[in-house]
Amino acid sequence: KQLEDHERRVDNAEPEDQRHSRKFFVGGLSHTTRAQHLRDHFAAFGSILDVVVLRSPDGRSRGFGYVTFATTEAAAAALQSTHHVGGRQIDIKRAVPGT
């Protein structure tokens, strides 16, 4: 019963409510970008809990990843800026649950 109620609330939630407040999708990465590059870049906004760059079987970046900040304030500050990593402008947006 409680699980059904929770699922109903999530299904009816506004899109903004269904997004993580501290975790971001990072897209537009070059194939040579590593997690440490993202960590170094985003550390300017605050403490980082986790950084992941998804890789293909050959070890190259798949062009996207995730950054999780320790605080919502750091995440909000990062969201207000444009970002360049590895000579490219990258795109960040709040991650959605399940990512």
Side-chain angles (χ1 to χ4, degrees):
K1 173 87 174 121
Q2 286 180 339
L3 183 58
E4 289 175 15
D5 289 343
H6 173 72
E7 288 172 349
R8 195 173 2 263
R9 282 194 308 271
V10 169
D11 288 344
N12 294 332
E14 294 297 315
E16 184 65 24
D17 295 337
Q18 292 183 7
R19 296 192 175 146
H20 292 288
S21 62
R22 297 179 296 130
K23 184 176 183 180
F24 286 92
F25 167 85
V26 182
L29 302 176
S30 80
H31 292 295
T32 59
T33 299
R34 303 231 174 260
Q36 190 61 47
H37 297 136
L38 293 182
R39 186 176 295 279
D40 292 345
H41 175 78
F42 286 106
F45 298 94
S47 291
I48 296 171
L49 297 179
D50 189 40
V51 177
V52 176
V53 173
L54 279 85
R55 305 209 158 279
S56 42
D58 66 5
R60 291 187 333 156
S61 164
R62 290 181 53 199
F64 69 96
Y66 298 93
V67 174
T68 305
F69 289 94
T71 67
T72 56
E73 293 81 11
L79 194 58
Q80 299 302 314
S81 299
T82 56
H83 302 277
H84 292 83
V85 175
R88 288 183 163 191
Q89 182 171 337
I90 60 172
D91 181 40
I92 70 166
K93 43 185 106 162
R94 292 192 190 276
V96 295
T99 61

